[in-house]
Amino acid sequence: MSAPSAPQNWKQWLESESPASRRQAVAGNAWRGLVAIIKNPAALAGLIIVALLLLMALAAPLLAWGQDPLAQDLAQRLKPPSASHWLGTDELGRDIYVRVLYGARVTLTIVVLVSLVVAPLGLAVGTLSGFLGGVIDVVLMRITDIFLAFPRLVLALAFAAALGPGIENAVIAIALTAWPPYARIARAEAATIAQSDFIAAVKLQGASTARILLRHIVPLCLSSVIVRLTLDMAGIILTAAGLGFLGLGAQPPTAEWGAMVSSGREVILDQWWVATMPGIAIFVVSLGFNLLGDGLRDVFDPKSS
Amino acid sequence: MADMIKVSGLSVTFTSAGRSFRAVDGVSFSVAKGESFGIVGESGSGKSTILKAVAGLVKFQAGALELNGQAMGFARSRKERQLLQYVFQDPYGSLHPRQTVDEALREPLAIQGIAGAEAKIAAALAEVGLEPKHRFRFPHQLSGGQRQRVAIARALILHPPILLLDEPTSALDVSVQAEILNLLARLRAAHGTTSILVSHDLAVVAHVCERVAVMKDGRLVEILGADALRAGVAEQAYTRQLVAASRGYARGA
Ligand SMILES: Nc1ncnc2c1ncn2[C@@H]1O[C@H](COP(=O)(O)OP(=O)(O)OP(=O)(O)O)[C@@H](O)[C@H]1O
Ligand SMILES: [Mg+2]
């Protein structure tokens, strides 16, 4: 057989309607999802922004040409954007470009840590509640209701105030107030899925409750949780920035976007760039997660596949 | 006395939003080992509900159920689950949407700790007339009939002594339908499988089953032999009506 060019082979392998292994089937599915995202301009923009955030965070030292985000230079304070300081300098003469870069690390840390707490907690509570029903459902859902009744920023403020300011405590505070909607979503989905014939089929095969939950129900609830998490990420970033702005998040001199906006607000009329640059970063990243979330929702929507 | 399935006075009541509805009302019958028992009746008469109660998928409020001489309730152990498998009525709801055919067939073997999955999966697929190219497809890449065959393969792969078949061939075209019915007949001859077959199609039931129960509004109207059903000689007026209706439909079609 005359071999077509290599990328051709690849695409055929991924798009095959009769895959020869589970690996190929899963890769093919992921590929179709990726193509769907790329074909959707808004989702692609979101994907690029989030990828840029990742790149900024991972390669911050490289992209900053080795400059230190904490290095002060009082002779150069409050300088407007120029060739030597692309985004200007702040009130202590620190380079804002470098600080925005390193701030991406803080933001990404918050995003990752909150996701690591919220998704598993919400999934665990929600799927148990939805699948088992009865007393367990009632108890878990009342607990969820209690957490749901607190306004997020106020509870986060209370936690930050009680546990002391700092990025870890900000993450704990945000995560504790963010999980209940996930439990609600997962519960509703798990309750529907629990009624379906394919779950009855594994029950009849003798599967344990743990196996049914972990192998059959959780994977199906995962996609809506991921979509919701991506859409919520903007709110989480804004809450983190809000806590930073109020001095209850990351502590100085850490480069954190919310705290940077806060420090620039006294000089906002004369030296607009100090608050504006990190503000733009917050805005763009929040927007990126929202666009990506919308795209993922379209891709995961079973009606479209 | 070699009853594989014995149902006596079975009643199932569904309660939703404070209202209760008796879907199955005091039904009794028994199925001998190796026998194929049919259930017919109009839509909503409680046929699927009887099968689900026998399978332990819905609770029954009154009556008793015995499988292979053992009394069965709703909760069952993994060992008790080995007694029966079920083919669901709706081929679109009976397969996990994110699992390939291969995974759907591997799961029962993994749960029951049965070795040699590779060969068994390939054999089960061949048995129901699916090709190797279907093995790693997701359900949305299969037609309704292909899905139903996967569901049948999944039920057969554990070689259960009892098979509960809820309209197993309604989504299949006539030639495949005959193929599946022959397959079920072969299995019965080879393994002495006991089965209950629910169908709208009186001809299918009369062809496959020795005895047939006629259901109406949750009650069992009568049980008659396949010969009687074919000949249209029934004691109850309702059964004669049903037979006449199905003939009229067959002629009209
Ligand atoms: N989970 C449930 N909750 C409430 N009512 C139910 C439930 N399942 C079935 N029913 C009702 O019980 C009755 C019998 O349903 P069943 O599914 O057993 O009918 P069937 O004879 O299988 O009908 P068909 O031929 O259409 O499949 C119907 O009136 C149905 O609405
Ligand atoms: Mg039915």
Side-chain angles (χ1 to χ4, degrees), chain B residues 73-86:
Chain B
F74 175 70
R76 302 191 186 169
S77 68
R78 180 173 309 179
K79 189 114 184 63
E80 288 168 335
R81 294 284 190 204
Q82 290 173 351
L83 271 176
L84 64 87
Q85 281 299 311
Y86 196 119

Side-chain angles (χ1 to χ4, degrees), chain A residues 17-22 25 29 32 197-198 200-207 211 215-216 219-220 223 300, chain B residues 55 57 78 81 85-86 88 93-99 103 107-108 110-112 133 136-138 141 154:
Chain A
E17 274 299 317
S18 33
S21 68
R22 184 191 138 66
N29 239 23
R32 277 186 281 273
D197 286 347
F198 60 86
V202 279
K203 257 186 226 164
L204 290 178
Q205 289 158 8
R211 189 179 182 106
R215 288 184 58 105
H216 300 272
L220 279 178
S223 52
F300 282 139
Chain B
L57 290 174
R78 180 173 309 179
R81 294 284 190 204
Q85 281 299 311
Y86 196 119
F88 292 90
S94 68
L95 296 178
H96 192 290
R98 296 274 160 79
Q99 287 184 349
E103 286 167 284
E107 188 69 359
I111 290 170
Q112 293 291 347
K133 71 173 182 197
F136 294 98
R137 288 202 188 166
F138 289 94
Q141 296 169 309
R154 175 180 64 190

Side-chain angles (χ1 to χ4, degrees), chain B residues 185-200:
Chain B
R186 268 210 315 282
L187 279 168
R188 212 173 126 205
H191 305 287
T193 311
T194 310
S195 58
I196 302 182
L197 173 73
V198 167
S199 180
H200 274 112

Side-chain angles (χ1 to χ4, degrees), chain B residues 42-49 51-52 86 89 166-167 198 200:
Chain B
E42 63 196 35
S43 199
S45 55
K47 307 182 297 290
S48 297
T49 308
L51 286 199
K52 286 187 177 155
Y86 196 119
Q89 181 169 9
D166 196 350
E167 313 246 8
V198 167
H200 274 112

Side-chain angles (χ1 to χ4, degrees), chain A residues 86-104:
Chain A
W86 290 354
L87 303 180
T89 61
D90 68 5
E91 74 283 359
L92 294 174
R94 295 173 296 199
D95 187 287
I96 293 178
Y97 167 69
V98 176
R99 282 179 69 75
V100 167
L101 275 181
Y102 277 86

